[in-house]
Amino acid sequence: MTARPHGYARYKLDGCRCYTCGYAVSQYRENRIHAIRRGAWQPFVDAEPARLHVLNLRDCDLGARRIAELAGVERNTVTVLLNGRSNRGTPPPTHIRPTTAAALLSVEPTLDNLGSGTVIHGTGTTRRLQALVALGWPQCLLAQKIGMTGGNFARVITSPRVTVRTARAARQVYDTCWQAVPTAHGATQRGTDQARRRAASLRWAPVMAWDDDTIDDPDAYPDWTGACGTSQGYGAHYSQKLLPACRPCRDARTARNRELQAAQKAKGNAAGGGATAA
């Protein structure tokens, strides 16, 4: 008898006839009958989408054991899906259970799941570190917190690609420091002032310009004024002395001017047509 948990699989594969396994089989049969009557019986689905997804996860340094753990399936399920059964000489399956496919497809290559050495997009990492510098955190102090040398940190803070290990460290430091006062945690006033000036000269967006759902999005822009991307954003940049205005605000201003010009032109045409008719 294996260590497989009691249920349908143990009843079928191991011959266990305990109450739990017998009940699981009876429930399965009952659900099957009802599904057939409804025309919803789908015992198997194409295995290829799940297999391609697992291969993609493997490319992200997720091993079969970790994938199985995250999906809530047995490790053997993953290895058979990829390689077939060598002991039986059978190739990878063409069809699998819908529940197995859904479980495997639900596993995502998130920062918490990926291998520490995997290289990923550096957007969220650079934005977090730059925002902390804009808050007044000197780069040398942030480098110490992440466990880097000053030279390596200087490259990471603008790098388009970083390792998962670095991204995790940056996220942890950001979560710890974004509400803290730098001078209360080892930074000198001079170092804090220099950090802020450097961030301003490089147009590094501050912490308050980002939300949790935008800071990792490569297509998102920082909201410098609280109205960026709207018709009020361009004026807000000038009133708050956050110059030059950001691209979304410039685009919104251009679109607004075009609307006004079109409206004026339409008004002029209407007036000219009325005069002619008179």
Side-chain angles (χ1 to χ4, degrees), residues 45-275:
V45 296
D46 186 5
E48 194 61 17
R51 184 164 28 250
L52 292 176
H53 185 66
V54 169
L55 288 172
N56 178 61
L57 295 174
R58 292 288 299 272
D59 290 339
C60 295
D61 289 344
L62 281 173
R65 185 187 301 275
R66 180 59 174 159
I67 294 172
E69 178 185 350
L70 293 170
V73 302
E74 294 184 9
R75 181 184 180 184
N76 189 53
T77 299
V78 178
T79 56
V80 169
L81 177 66
L82 297 179
N83 306 314
R85 297 180 183 272
S86 58
N87 60 330
R88 300 180 184 177
T90 57
T94 57
H95 293 81
I96 57 177
R97 294 288 184 183
T99 52
T100 301
L104 292 171
L105 290 170
S106 69
V107 179
E108 296 293 341
T110 62
L111 194 63
D112 294 324
N113 295 339
L114 291 173
S116 60
T118 304
V119 178
I120 60 174
H121 205 285
T123 297
T125 298
T126 57
R127 286 174 177 172
R128 285 179 173 87
L129 297 178
Q130 290 172 7
L132 290 178
V133 175
L135 191 62
W137 286 93
Q139 289 186 212
C140 60
L141 189 55
L142 292 176
Q144 292 176 10
K145 289 181 174 295
I146 292 182
M148 286 186 173
T149 64
N152 286 338
F153 185 87
R155 289 189 291 271
V156 165
I157 200 170
T158 58
S159 177
R161 309 288 289 178
V162 298
T163 64
V164 167
R165 183 184 298 105
T166 299
R168 287 174 180 164
R171 183 176 63 177
Q172 182 177 1
V173 169
Y174 181 83
D175 291 344
T176 303
C177 297
W178 76 274
Q179 286 184 307
V181 179
T183 52
H185 295 271
T188 64
Q189 188 60 52
R190 179 181 179 184
T192 295
D193 293 339
Q194 289 178 341
R196 289 171 177 162
R197 286 196 296 268
R198 176 171 174 76
S201 67
L202 295 173
R203 292 284 290 173
W204 288 350
V207 169
M208 300 310 295
W210 298 110
D211 293 326
D212 289 341
D213 57 348
T214 61
I215 195 167
D216 291 300
D217 183 359
D219 296 325
Y221 286 91
D223 188 354
W224 294 84
T225 66
C228 288
T230 70
S231 57
Q232 293 80 31
Y234 192 85
H237 271 278
Y238 278 84
S239 63
Q240 298 178 31
K241 298 182 180 179
L242 297 171
L243 301 174
C246 65
R247 178 178 174 181
C249 287
R250 295 197 305 269
D251 291 344
R253 179 172 181 265
T254 299
R256 177 59 176 167
N257 288 340
R258 288 175 178 171
E259 291 177 358
L260 292 175
Q261 291 172 1
Q264 291 175 353
K265 183 177 180 180
K267 184 177 180 180
N269 291 338

